[in-house]
Amino acid sequence: MSRLQIRNSLLLFLAAVIWGCAFAAQSIGMEYIEPFTFTTVRSFIGSLFLLPCIYILGKHKASPPPNKAEDKKELLKAGLLCGIIICIAVNLQQIALISAGVGKSGFLTALYIVIVPIIGVFTGKRPGKKLCLAVVCAVAGMYLLCMKSGSLTLEFADILLILCAVVFSLHIMTVDYYTRRVDGVKLSCIQFFVCGAISAVPMFLLENPSISAICTAWAPVLYTGVLSTGVAYTLQIVGQKGLNPVVASLLMSLESVVSALAGWLVLGQGLSARELTGCAVMFAAIILAQLPD
């Protein structure tokens, strides 16, 4: 592994730690403001936070590339596409956190670690026995984690989180495509401006946003806006450069472990023995999916 790959792996690990703690912040934020309002505010804060970063990084570039029209067009296209995808994923997650526990939310969101290699099937890569076994283990773990008292029905929040994992998988693959073509920090800034702009529509149509409520939730809003949105997603875009998207998803899936710890330490949310077993089986599937053939 090269020094660049080691550095990028550490960046993704740091992003996973920030995201894992963000589950607790997002859950606390739901006590004061509604989901689309939370997403809108955090997205605009993250986008604004990155503007001075872009300016400073631009000043320190030894030989900045020429601003070609086609490069700007590619950047805007990437930012718009990533912004739409991340908007869907984040809002699904935020709505689910109204009723779902932090630990469970982290583990279900981390299902993208299995979904990402499955997406590879549609690019011409046939799944091997190892991948099939990982999927079976993940489904078994999901049953233990999500099915209450042997019920054969998923809770609504669980369905939202599984859909969220699928959309996050698409975001990982999209970032993998564009990370070699455009500036990572600028892409992150644009994608969250797009995310905030789209989320503002249902915020005004379906919710009752108020400045006082947002100010009351200033701590979780600032954490998710500056660190989770502005910093961590930028670390993802920069860190994915040069890494296999499956390896990148493995590193980022560590957010599920951090989220469970954060839910226990910050919110006092415990998991039953059945749910802990489901978490363990899902995590085993996550590791199995990444082992060499």
Side-chain angles (χ1 to χ4, degrees):
M1 182 179 287
S2 67
R3 293 179 64 181
L4 178 62
Q5 289 176 319
I6 294 174
R7 188 208 68 174
N8 288 353
S9 297
L10 291 174
L11 293 180
L12 292 178
F13 172 73
L14 179 57
V17 172
I18 295 174
W19 284 332
C21 296
F23 279 99
Q26 290 172 249
S27 180
I28 294 172
M30 288 298 90
E31 298 175 6
Y32 305 100
I33 54 180
E34 295 172 284
F36 288 112
T37 302
F38 193 95
T39 301
T40 301
V41 176
R42 69 174 281 192
S43 297
F44 282 135
I45 289 176
S47 185
L48 290 172
F49 170 78
L50 289 173
L51 288 177
C53 298
I54 293 171
Y55 176 79
I56 293 170
L57 290 173
K59 284 287 185 181
H60 287 81
K61 282 186 178 179
S63 55
N67 292 322
K68 296 180 180 179
E70 57 267 27
D71 293 339
K72 291 183 178 180
K73 189 175 180 180
E74 184 81 353
L75 176 62
L76 290 174
K77 179 182 175 182
L80 180 61
L81 181 58
C82 289
I84 293 172
I85 296 174
I86 202 67
C87 177
I88 297 171
V90 170
N91 280 305
L92 284 172
Q93 185 184 77
Q94 198 64 45
I95 295 170
L97 277 168
I98 296 175
S99 57
V102 168
K104 180 191 288 187
S105 299
F107 271 98
L108 287 177
T109 301
L111 269 177
Y112 58 69
I113 188 64
V114 178
I115 299 172
V116 167
I118 291 177
I119 292 177
V121 173
F122 298 97
T123 63
K125 297 180 181 179
R126 298 184 64 182
K129 294 179 180 179
K130 174 179 65 68
L131 180 57
C132 293
L133 180 59
V135 173
V136 172
C137 289
V139 172
M142 255 190 353
Y143 178 85
L144 293 173
L145 182 62
C146 302
M147 304 299 182
K148 300 291 185 180
S149 303
S151 171
L152 294 178
T153 58
L154 282 167
E155 294 181 0
F156 180 66
D158 299 334
I159 296 174
L160 292 182
L161 289 168
I162 294 169
L163 291 174
C164 169
V166 174
V167 182
F168 268 130
S169 302
L170 296 176
H171 184 258
I172 291 171
M173 301 302 291
T174 305
V175 168
D176 177 67
Y177 176 81
Y178 282 112
T179 191
R180 297 175 181 85
R181 294 169 169 80
V182 299
D183 183 273
V185 182
K186 292 179 181 178
L187 171 59
S188 186
C189 181
I190 295 173
Q191 79 168 353
F192 280 107
F193 178 82
V194 172
C195 178
I198 296 175
S199 300
V201 176
M203 177 186 74
F204 287 115
L205 291 177
L206 305 175
E207 301 177 350
N208 300 297
S210 70
I211 299 298
S212 60
I214 294 172
C215 291
T216 304
W218 67 270
V221 167
L222 276 182
Y223 179 89
T224 55
V226 175
L227 291 178
S228 179
T229 302
V231 175
Y233 279 101
T234 304
L235 291 177
Q236 177 206 350
I237 292 175
V238 175
Q240 270 196 240
K241 190 173 184 178
L243 286 181
N244 185 302
V246 177
V247 175
S249 63
L250 171 62
L251 292 165
M252 290 184 286
S253 73
L254 292 173
E255 68 174 308
S256 62
V257 179
V258 179
S259 71
L261 292 174
W264 171 54
L265 294 173
V266 179
L267 303 177
Q269 294 180 351
L271 293 172
S272 67
R274 175 192 177 96
E275 290 171 323
L276 285 171
T277 303
C279 289
V281 174
M282 286 180 64
F283 195 71
I286 288 170
I287 299 301
L288 176 62
Q290 310 311 316
L291 292 177
D293 291 329

